[in-house]
Amino acid sequence: MSYLEIKSLSSFYGKAEALSNVSLSVEKGEIIAIVGANGAGKSTLLDSIMGMVKQKGTISFDDKTISGKSTSHIVKQGIGYAPERFSLFPYMSVKDNLLVGAFTAREKTKDNLAQVYSLFPRLAERETQETATQSGGERQMVSLGRALMSSPKLLLVDEPTIGLAPKVCNEIAVSLRRMRDDFGLTVVITEQNANFAMTLAERIYVLEAGKMQIEGTVEELKSDNRLIEAYFGT
Ligand SMILES: Nc1ncnc2c1ncn2[C@@H]1O[C@H](COP(=O)(O)OP(=O)(O)OP(=O)(O)O)[C@@H](O)[C@H]1O
Ligand SMILES: [Mg+2]
């Protein structure tokens, strides 16, 4: 069984089906990207893994079934989530926003905070700044840092580069790669920016209107010209 395994997942908002029969598997230590346009279902897929959306199908992580479980249970199993638009507390400091992520791993707070500050030295320098006054890139760092405060083994990141300048996208890519290489995390991101996805991930899934259309390694996707034209521009 794969580290994260999603089988025949359908997700619903009321009666509307936002994901239809989606399957996906992630091996330990991989970085994978789910690529799709606005409304494709990227956030719904990550929210579904976290148990936040009504769903059918099965999801397992680290050999345990997590579908049907509460979000706090899923976080305790070792899944961290940096959601879309960060949802930080704007009038709280960087440090207090990070501490919000620590509720399931209180005994490791000091070590995790040190790890976050080693990944993002800028956050250590700005520990007391309110996140409302930070740049988009800094807020993304706080969001990633907050997810790390729960001591996750698998990190889910919804659109890490949205609204960020290319230079900042690179910094985020470097930090995500370090989380895998130096801290042993498995990483799943969603992206509209297919080029960013291809430079960071080893494997890509393409989601279109709630359905999984294509799956392959970056090498495989790059060698298919029709696919590149259809999904990734030229
Ligand atoms: N809370 C909700 N209630 C009803 N429908 C929703 C809700 N959230 C999402 N949807 C619908 O589900 C579908 C998938 O939305 P989702 O937000 O997952 O897409 P996305 O790929 O994350 O898009 P974006 O790139 O704009 O963030 C869309 O049709 C959307 O309108
Ligand atoms: Mg989204």
Side-chain angles (χ1 to χ4, degrees):
M1 200 185 262
S2 297
Y3 197 47
L4 175 71
E5 196 154 294
I6 301 179
K7 279 193 189 148
S8 310
L9 174 73
S10 297
S11 296
F12 304 86
Y13 295 109
K15 284 188 180 145
E17 191 179 54
L19 290 179
S20 171
N21 205 21
V22 166
S23 295
L24 166 156
S25 54
V26 182
E27 303 306 327
K28 197 169 187 170
E30 271 192 309
I31 300 181
I32 77 136
I34 296 152
V35 173
N38 287 122
K42 302 180 298 295
S43 301
T44 302
L45 178 53
L46 299 188
D47 286 351
S48 299
I49 297 170
M50 299 310 294
M52 292 155 57
V53 185
K54 194 177 118 192
Q55 55 190 261
K56 279 188 209 152
T58 57
I59 307 178
S60 67
F61 171 64
D62 206 6
D63 290 327
K64 292 184 200 81
T65 301
I66 55 167
S67 41
K69 301 287 195 316
S70 69
T71 301
S72 65
H73 175 89
I74 293 167
V75 172
K76 280 181 205 147
Q77 296 305 306
I79 306 187
Y81 187 19
E84 196 175 10
R85 286 182 279 276
F86 325 140
S87 45
L88 302 174
F89 294 99
Y91 302 112
M92 275 166 47
S93 69
V94 166
K95 186 175 177 187
D96 287 342
N97 268 283
L98 292 173
L99 292 177
V100 168
F103 73 103
T104 56
R106 292 242 178 264
E107 70 293 348
K108 290 202 186 140
T109 299
K110 218 176 140 212
D111 289 350
N112 286 342
L113 203 56
Q115 180 190 26
V116 170
Y117 287 159
S118 91
L119 270 167
F120 304 111
R122 208 175 316 170
L123 298 187
E125 292 158 20
R126 288 156 184 255
E127 211 180 38
T128 58
Q129 187 179 358
E130 287 180 356
T131 58
T133 63
Q134 288 194 295
S135 70
E138 287 161 357
R139 270 182 272 178
Q140 182 59 268
M141 291 172 197
V142 178
S143 175
L144 291 169
R146 182 181 55 185
L148 294 176
M149 293 299 292
S150 66
S151 300
K153 296 180 277 185
L154 168 67
L155 180 68
L156 311 179
V157 190
D158 201 4
E159 302 209 48
T161 67
I162 195 156
L164 303 184
K167 183 171 170 279
V168 187
C169 293
N170 282 340
E171 287 178 40
I172 297 293
V174 167
S175 64
L176 289 170
R177 211 170 280 126
R178 266 196 74 194
M179 289 179 204
R180 194 269 303 275
D181 295 345
D182 298 352
F183 301 111
L185 268 73
T186 304
V187 178
V188 174
I189 67 162
T190 70
E191 265 300 334
Q192 293 193 43
N193 180 346
N195 289 321
F196 179 83
M198 298 245 238
T199 59
L200 178 67
E202 285 124 13
R203 244 165 12 96
I204 304 231
Y205 285 86
V206 179
L207 193 59
E208 207 180 56
K211 296 199 169 82
M212 209 54 104
Q213 297 293 3
I214 297 170
E215 180 268 314
T217 64
V218 168
E219 293 311 310
E220 283 163 357
L221 298 193
K222 275 186 178 159
S223 63
D224 187 334
N225 285 332
R226 277 171 314 155
L227 206 145
I228 294 277
E229 272 172 39
Y231 286 100
F232 301 102
T234 41

